[in-house]
Amino acid sequence: MSSSARTQPALDAILAATEQLLRERSFGELAVNDILDVAGVSRTSFYAHFPSRSAVLAACLRRVVDELAVAVDPFLTEAEKDPERAIRVSLERWIGLASEHGPLLRTASEEWPHDPELQELWFEVIAAFSGPVAGVIERARAAGAAPAGADAEALAACLMWGYERVLHMALVGGALGLDDPRAIVEPLAQMMVAGVFGDSVSGRGVSGRGVRSD
């Protein structure tokens, strides 16, 4: 058995313990000893994998990035056919993922300004989505489905960072006056469709809760 295979269980336990603990306390209240106790690993094993708590947080986030990519795929691949439906499907998946990994995503959003490694990773995550969104904008403009306007890459980056802030506030709770994070689906769908395609959402599927069911 390779050394990586032998150490994988400890690595998985550390990451799972960290995300579990973030549901119970803030990152500032989280100590390495807490992670060791829940993960059931030694301090030596912890530092064999990670130099710090921030490095663990970054590793947890990397594991979620692939799931985020799956969530936004409908908008990236189906927007030319039905942009309103595609963005709603992506947003609903995105909110579902946020519900599953909410404390982790909230913590990463709060901590990246204070940690260079985490900041670099967070910027890479946003760029990984804003780049393909810029492609959607450019294709829509070339097809005559969207008006000319701001630079596509700049517009996509602004939209993605806007999404990041809105999601963060929804996860924090209360700041947007919304009781359910799913209520951000309709406002964000309207923001995306209007921002890219130059027309407001038609209103199909809008309910008092702001959630569309397909």
Side-chain angles (χ1 to χ4, degrees), residues 20-157:
Q20 175 186 331
L21 288 165
L22 288 174
R23 297 181 180 277
E24 305 167 5
R25 65 197 71 178
S26 70
F27 189 67
E29 299 170 326
L30 181 61
V32 170
N33 282 339
D34 299 326
I35 299 173
L36 300 182
D37 290 342
V38 174
V41 301
S42 68
R43 183 172 293 271
T44 299
S45 181
F46 177 93
Y47 285 109
H49 291 93
F50 302 105
S52 65
R53 295 176 309 138
S54 294
V56 180
L57 184 61
C60 289
L61 182 60
R62 288 188 183 95
R63 287 197 166 188
V64 178
V65 169
D66 288 343
E67 296 179 61
L68 288 170
V70 171
V72 302
D73 184 68
F75 178 66
L76 301 180
T77 60
E78 301 173 20
E80 295 175 21
K81 301 176 183 177
D82 187 342
E84 291 183 25
R85 182 183 182 282
I87 190 57
R88 283 190 180 89
V89 171
S90 286
L91 283 168
E92 286 162 2
R93 290 183 180 182
W94 192 45
I95 296 302
L97 184 62
S99 298
E100 181 180 354
H101 298 286
L104 170 63
L105 295 173
R106 185 189 68 240
T107 300
S109 183
E110 292 170 348
E111 294 297 323
W112 70 253
H114 315 295
D115 183 272
E117 179 185 1
L118 193 59
Q119 180 178 115
E120 181 179 2
L121 175 58
W122 199 241
F123 282 17
E124 288 176 1
V125 170
I126 299 299
F129 298 124
S130 62
V133 169
V136 171
I137 295 169
E138 291 170 347
R139 290 193 299 273
R141 288 176 175 177
D151 175 79
E153 291 186 2
L155 176 58

Side-chain angles (χ1 to χ4, degrees), residues 118-197:
L118 193 59
Q119 180 178 115
E120 181 179 2
L121 175 58
W122 199 241
F123 282 17
E124 288 176 1
V125 170
I126 299 299
F129 298 124
S130 62
V133 169
V136 171
I137 295 169
E138 291 170 347
R139 290 193 299 273
R141 288 176 175 177
D151 175 79
E153 291 186 2
L155 176 58
C158 287
L159 288 167
M160 290 299 98
W161 278 109
Y163 273 36
E164 189 265 359
R165 286 293 86 191
V166 171
L167 178 61
H168 173 73
M169 299 310 295
L171 292 173
V172 168
L176 298 175
L178 304 174
D179 296 327
D180 187 338
R182 291 175 299 174
I184 68 174
V185 169
E186 283 300 322
L188 287 179
Q190 182 168 339
M191 185 173 77
M192 176 65 85
V193 174
V196 173
F197 297 93

